[in-house]
Amino acid sequence: MNFCAAFAGRVFALLLLCALLFFFPIQDVPFANKGEPREGIVVQAIVNEGNWVFPLRPDGRLPSKPPLFHWLGSLASLAYGQTTEATVRFPSALLATFGVLLVYALGRRMFGEEGGFWGAVVLATSFDYHSLGIAARVDMTLAFFVTLSLVLFYFIESKCLSGALWRALFYLTLGLGVLAKGPISFVLVTLVIALFYLQARRWSELRQFFFSRGMLLALAVAGSWYAVALAAGGEKFFHKQILQENLLRFWAAGEEGTGHAKPFYFYVPYLFLNGLPWTLFLPLMILDGWKRRPVLDSAQKFLILWVAGMFLLLSLSTGKRADYLLPLYPAVALLIARWLGTAGEPAEKKPPMARTMGAFFILVGILALLLFWDAARSSGSELLSFVASRLRERERQEVLWVARALQDQRWVVSAILLLFALVSLLAGRALMKGRLRAARLFVSVLAVLALAFAHLGARRAIAENKSYAPFVAQANRELSRGGVLYVYGDGFDKYQITFYHGRAVPALNEEPQKLGQRLRGEDLVILSEAQWRRLAAHDAGFPAPIAKSKGVGPDGDAPLVLIRGSDLKLSRPQGLEKKL
């Protein structure tokens, strides 16, 4: 009974933590970047048009990824009754939560109850895992299916699960993962499993794994959708999702390859940055693990192969983004939690760098106290304003937005900062004394406070100043019956406009002097404020905007204006179109 109560208590605590970290933040922040509305309009198209097998964007273009994430977002939208930012982000939050529970289950099997629980906490409170767990992107869907496949494999391999049904479920999961983000899921999972068999010199089992009926099931599940999509999309689909998004992204750069071409060492700093604050302990863990390598158990070796294999493969790829590292963080989290639960105990020598780490957390605590003092004063965010004055234009603007948001929520933010400072000082003290288990508890509290501070003080403030959501909502209200909303020109994100308008927004391609001939009186046109100023400068009769956006777009440089078709009575000097 005590064991069941403890188990239920830990599961409940993890679910509560995930509800706070993943489900609460997806509701009140509008889309403000290019990636989220790009996935959102595919979900919207599925819900509106019912094309589940081969969904297209409202403009008829092919999505860049397979549809598993979009299917889940569409189900959430249908259940809720409409497509919103929260329903599109819901699959990431849900799968992030399931991923945390999977790590708990795997950690319990590998390292016992404590190792599993803290591994799950470390994962949930890691920066990049949290960031992608609240984002309408396909990365968390990929990470979940990679994690699920490897957890099932380890359970089957360690005889925790047995029987043909579990093996079939493993291969089914392996195939479904391909529908999350393409063949990379299959490649990552099979690479780790191949390395696991190779390091143990189990050649026959390696051969049996790849040449089995189960592998045929995985290929059939993945290939069935690709076959249907290839038949429907033809050469365009083949070039977009098979060549460009997979083969060329791995091998080539430039127009035919990827715009994310980076050097081989690109991921080295991001391995540490994406897992903050926990990856601060990585250097300590790696040094200690190198000394102990002859006594590493099979579970630790499996996790090390998981991290090292994926990291090397992703580093070999030409196309790189920091978020691509997400599938290896479940293993990183378990390794860090395991190390923090064993290193520095009384029977062992205190890690030599623990004192340095302790000094770092004490310094962070002192800086947080300075921020608390600044935020608590009636004048508000003077320190952030000073920092902003030393930055480039785009970063300076974002810091000033955050400063204003902190001033509006001064007492809530002050309380968080004060608590953060005190806990950081306690974490530093524990590390100075080599009490890593106590430090583990304090750092987990710090992580939650930092993520809450980032959401309340930064993420929401930046999104509200960049998003076009209120502006498009106003355009929808201004649109009279029978009128059409158009976009004109370039230099701004059209995915947001399409999502918040709720359907495809046609683009005008006419020369400026012909716009009035194309439009009806009840039509509306969205264009960038910069382009509107250029047009108005060359034609005094160009209509004044009926609305201007507060949001300045994903890059922070593209406020929009709205004009009526009935106001477009243009009389331009000859040759105006050449100047524009």
Side-chain angles (χ1 to χ4, degrees):
M1 179 65 70
N2 290 337
F3 169 79
C4 292
F7 173 76
R10 283 190 167 92
V11 171
F12 178 77
L14 290 175
L15 290 174
L16 191 62
L17 178 65
C18 290
L20 175 67
L21 292 179
F22 302 127
F23 290 98
F24 174 73
I26 66 175
Q27 304 176 53
D28 59 346
V29 178
F31 289 155
N33 54 32
K34 297 176 183 178
E36 288 192 293
R38 184 175 59 208
E39 307 302 339
I41 60 176
V42 180
V43 172
Q44 207 171 55
I46 294 175
V47 172
N48 293 342
E49 301 170 15
N51 187 359
W52 290 77
V53 177
F54 190 63
L56 300 173
R57 293 173 184 166
D59 59 3
R61 297 174 61 188
L62 291 168
S64 56
K65 301 294 185 290
L68 183 54
F69 169 83
H70 308 112
W71 289 342
L72 297 173
S74 299
L75 290 174
S77 299
L78 289 170
Y80 185 69
Q82 60 178 314
T83 305
T84 67
E85 300 99 334
T87 62
V88 179
R89 291 170 176 150
F90 181 81
S92 293
L94 181 67
L95 295 180
T97 301
F98 287 162
V100 168
L101 296 178
L102 280 174
V103 166
Y104 173 51
L106 180 61
R108 287 182 74 240
R109 178 66 182 175
M110 289 179 162
F111 308 129
E113 188 72 36
E114 184 182 10
F117 176 76
W118 283 105
V121 171
V122 169
L123 181 65
T125 54
S126 295
F127 170 75
D128 202 48
Y129 193 84
H130 170 265
S131 176
L132 292 171
I134 59 175
R137 305 298 296 267
V138 302
D139 300 270
M140 186 57 72
T141 309
L142 167 69
F144 169 76
F145 278 94
V146 168
T147 303
L148 178 58
S149 297
L150 289 172
V151 169
L152 286 172
F153 170 79
Y154 187 84
F155 278 15
I156 293 170
E157 179 63 29
S158 61
K159 312 302 181 186
C160 180
L161 300 175
S162 60
L165 184 60
W166 286 111
R167 290 187 176 275
L169 179 61
F170 161 74
Y171 283 108
L172 178 64
T173 301
L174 185 61
L176 280 174
V178 176
L179 302 185
K181 201 176 178 181
I184 186 62
S185 172
F186 181 89
V187 173
L188 291 175
V189 173
T190 55
L191 172 65
V192 174
I193 293 172
L195 291 174
F196 174 79
Y197 283 133
L198 286 172
Q199 64 87 26
R201 300 182 180 180
R202 294 161 60 178
W203 318 111
S204 61
E205 291 171 85
L206 174 62
R207 185 170 57 253
Q208 183 181 359
F209 169 73
F210 280 102
F211 299 98
S212 65
R213 288 180 293 180
M215 189 60 73
L216 293 176
L217 172 63
L219 294 174
V221 170
S224 58
W225 178 81
Y226 272 91
V228 172
L230 186 59
E235 183 180 350
K236 288 185 179 180
F237 171 81
F238 180 80
H239 186 271
K240 177 72 173 176
Q241 284 208 18
I242 296 178
L243 283 183
Q244 191 172 17
E245 290 293 326
N246 294 285
L247 298 177
L248 294 175
R249 174 152 295 192
F250 190 89
W251 295 110
E255 292 186 10
E256 287 301 316
T258 175
H260 306 305
K262 299 293 189 299
F264 177 81
Y265 54 82
F266 173 79
Y267 284 126
V268 174
Y270 285 105
L271 178 64
F272 294 88
L273 293 173
N274 287 7
L276 288 174
W278 299 101
T279 42
L280 291 171
F281 297 103
L282 263 183
L284 283 171
M285 186 186 74
I286 292 171
L287 289 173
D288 196 39
W290 181 257
K291 296 175 183 178
R292 299 164 181 257
R293 63 189 184 280
V295 295
L296 292 176
D297 57 39
S298 60
Q300 290 171 302
K301 290 179 181 178
F302 179 74
L303 294 175
I304 291 170
L305 291 172
W306 183 337
V307 176
M310 290 186 184
F311 186 83
L312 178 60
L313 178 70
L314 293 170
S315 296
L316 289 172
S317 172
T318 300
K320 296 180 179 71
R321 285 180 61 242
D323 295 340
Y324 292 173
L325 290 178
L326 184 65
L328 58 80
Y329 278 100
V332 171
L334 283 170
L335 287 168
I336 291 175
R338 164 70 171 175
W339 183 79
L340 286 172
T342 56
E345 293 303 302
E348 302 186 28
K349 184 179 179 181
K350 181 170 65 176
M353 290 177 62
R355 187 175 296 273
T356 303
M357 289 292 298
F360 171 79
F361 276 98
I362 289 173
L363 177 61
V364 170
I366 293 172
L367 290 175
L369 283 174
L370 291 175
L371 281 172
F372 160 73
W373 173 253
D374 180 61
R377 294 170 61 191
S378 58
S379 57
S381 311
E382 295 178 1
L383 184 58
L384 283 177
S385 299
F386 172 78
V387 172
S389 66
R390 267 64 180 171
L391 299 175
R392 293 179 301 178
E393 176 60 31
R394 179 175 174 181
E395 289 78 9
R396 179 168 62 251
Q397 185 61 62
E398 292 184 357
V399 171
L400 291 175
W401 291 335
V402 172
R404 287 198 293 269
L406 295 183
Q407 191 170 10
D408 292 340
Q409 306 177 70
R410 185 165 61 251
W411 298 113
V412 174
V413 171
S414 297
I416 293 176
L417 284 171
L418 179 60
L419 186 57
F420 184 91
L422 295 176
V423 176
S424 186
L425 293 173
L426 290 172
R429 182 171 179 270
L431 286 165
M432 295 284 280
K433 294 187 174 184
R435 293 164 44 208
L436 298 189
R437 288 193 176 191
R440 182 176 61 183
L441 173 61
F442 292 134
V443 173
S444 64
V445 176
L446 284 177
V448 173
L449 290 173
L451 294 173
F453 178 83
H455 175 71
L456 293 173
R459 178 172 173 260
R460 190 161 56 186
I462 292 173
E464 288 174 351
N465 281 277
K466 285 188 172 184
S467 179
Y468 294 141
F471 174 75
V472 180
Q474 182 177 355
N476 289 340
R477 291 192 296 270
E478 294 281 349
L479 201 61
S480 60
R481 190 177 185 86
V484 177
L485 181 66
Y486 291 93
V487 291
Y488 181 67
D490 295 313
F492 56 96
D493 177 38
K494 299 179 176 66
Y495 293 127
Q496 283 191 50
I497 296 172
T498 300
F499 180 83
Y500 288 112
H501 184 53
R503 56 187 180 274
V505 181
L508 294 170
N509 299 312
E510 283 78 7
E511 300 291 349
Q513 75 276 12
K514 297 180 181 178
L515 286 175
Q517 302 171 16
R518 165 74 182 274
L519 298 172
R520 296 173 299 172
E522 61 269 25
D523 294 336
L524 299 175
V525 182
I526 291 174
L527 66 161
S528 70
E529 185 175 341
Q531 186 171 34
W532 174 80
R533 290 184 183 279
R534 289 195 299 270
L535 291 168
H538 289 87
D539 184 353
F542 197 80
I546 60 173
K548 294 184 179 181
S549 70
K550 175 188 175 184
V552 292
D555 297 324
D557 59 356
L560 305 180
V561 300
L562 182 71
I563 59 176
R564 291 188 187 278
S566 57
D567 294 336
L568 274 166
K569 305 299 183 182
L570 304 182
S571 175
R572 303 182 183 282
Q574 191 173 2
L576 170 62
E577 65 276 9
K578 294 181 181 179
K579 297 180 183 180
L580 298 179

